[in-house]
């Protein structure tokens, strides 16, 4: 019944049991201790399951898979990343579970995760293409250059223009040392 629906803590205990290198009596005592730990986690999960779904705090493995799927959707479609409601429907989770899951797994909200990925892609495009700032802004799914500049400056402590100038200076230095 609980296959893939047990908590991450239970999954960790099962993994530790499977990976133990202890032998004989030590192994038996270790496994017995882990079984008690799994029982405690099951009881905690039972109480959590009795709560309304939006108030549950324990992440299940099946939920983690859906949250990772949501992260992959964001990663693959930065230029048109879906909003939280659309994303939650795509992966089959409610919005609260999705937000709480992102917070647990990545330490970020869905919006913050998406913005971070966009800024990373923007920096990558600046370093590896000849696109101008406006083209990069649209390529990462932001329609306002000033908003992009604000986000970029918050993340990298310099404006996109300053970053491009810094890259240009570095390239010139590399070219002169190569000669």
């Amino acid at each position: 019944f609980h296959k893939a629906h047990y908590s991450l803590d239970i999954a960790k205990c099962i993994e530790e049991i499977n990976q133990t290198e202890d032998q004989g009596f030590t192994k038996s005592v270790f496994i017995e201790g882990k079984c008690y730990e799994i029982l405690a986690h099951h009881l905690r999960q039972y109480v959590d399951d009795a709560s309304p779904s939006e108030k549950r705090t324990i992440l299940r493995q099946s939920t983690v898979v859906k949250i990772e799927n949501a992260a992959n959707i964001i990663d693959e479609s930065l230029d048109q990343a879906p909003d939280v409601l659309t994303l939650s429907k795509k992966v089959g989770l409610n919005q609260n579970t999705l937000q709480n899951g992102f917070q647990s797994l990545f330490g970020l909200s869905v919006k913050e995760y998406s913005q971070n990925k966009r800024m990373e892609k923007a920096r990558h495009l600046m370093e590896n293409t000849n696109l101008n700032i406006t083209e990069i802004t649209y390529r990462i799914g932001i329609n306002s250059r000033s908003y992009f500049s604000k986000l970029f400056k918050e993340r990298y402590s310099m404006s996109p223009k300053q970053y491009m100038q810094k890259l240009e200076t570095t390239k010139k230095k590399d070219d002169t040392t190569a000669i």
Side-chain angles (χ1 to χ4, degrees):
F1 172 74
H2 282 290
K3 186 172 173 84
H5 293 285
Y6 44 82
S7 69
L8 297 178
D9 294 327
I10 293 172
K12 183 180 174 195
C13 288
I14 293 170
E15 187 177 319
E16 289 171 355
I17 289 171
N18 289 333
Q19 293 179 349
T20 186
E21 294 179 3
D22 294 330
Q23 298 293 317
F25 179 72
T26 309
K27 183 175 184 173
S28 297
V29 172
F30 177 77
I31 291 173
E32 184 178 349
K34 285 295 172 186
C35 287
Y36 284 120
E37 190 177 341
I38 288 171
L39 179 61
H41 288 304
H42 264 294
L43 291 172
R44 204 173 301 122
Q45 184 172 330
Y46 175 78
V47 170
D48 193 58
D49 285 343
S51 308
S53 61
E54 63 275 353
K55 294 193 180 205
R56 291 183 184 159
T57 58
I58 298 176
L59 280 180
R60 276 69 171 172
Q61 266 191 324
S62 58
T63 306
V64 170
V65 169
K66 291 177 181 180
I67 292 165
E68 289 172 341
N69 186 24
N72 288 336
I73 290 170
I74 291 170
D75 294 348
E76 293 169 3
S77 60
L78 285 177
D79 58 333
Q80 51 192 350
D83 60 34
V84 177
L85 178 62
T86 306
L87 191 60
S88 64
K89 286 180 181 178
K90 274 187 177 181
V91 297
L93 294 172
N94 71 40
Q95 291 178 58
N96 289 338
T97 303
L98 184 66
Q99 287 286 13
N100 292 338
F102 263 78
Q103 198 64 50
S104 294
L105 290 181
F106 306 111
L108 303 166
S109 70
V110 174
K111 182 179 179 181
E112 291 167 336
Y113 179 88
S114 182
Q115 284 178 348
N116 280 349
K117 290 297 180 176
R118 283 180 167 156
M119 293 305 103
E120 289 171 11
K121 184 174 182 180
R123 189 178 55 99
H124 175 77
L125 290 171
M126 288 177 183
E127 293 171 356
N128 298 301
T129 67
N130 291 326
L131 297 173
N132 65 37
I133 295 170
T134 303
E135 291 170 323
I136 290 170
T137 301
Y138 289 114
R139 195 67 74 86
I140 62 168
I142 296 176
N143 295 327
S144 166
R145 185 174 163 162
S146 61
Y147 181 63
F148 166 67
S149 293
K150 176 184 175 253
L151 292 176
F152 193 90
K153 191 167 188 168
E154 285 173 4
R155 174 76 190 259
Y156 297 109
S157 301
M158 65 175 70
S159 71
K161 186 176 181 178
Q162 291 169 325
Y163 190 76
M164 295 283 269
Q165 289 169 342
K166 181 180 171 188
L167 287 174
E168 193 63 37
T169 305
T170 306
K171 283 181 186 177
K172 285 179 182 176
K173 284 182 184 177
D174 289 345
D175 290 344
T176 56
T177 54
I179 297 174

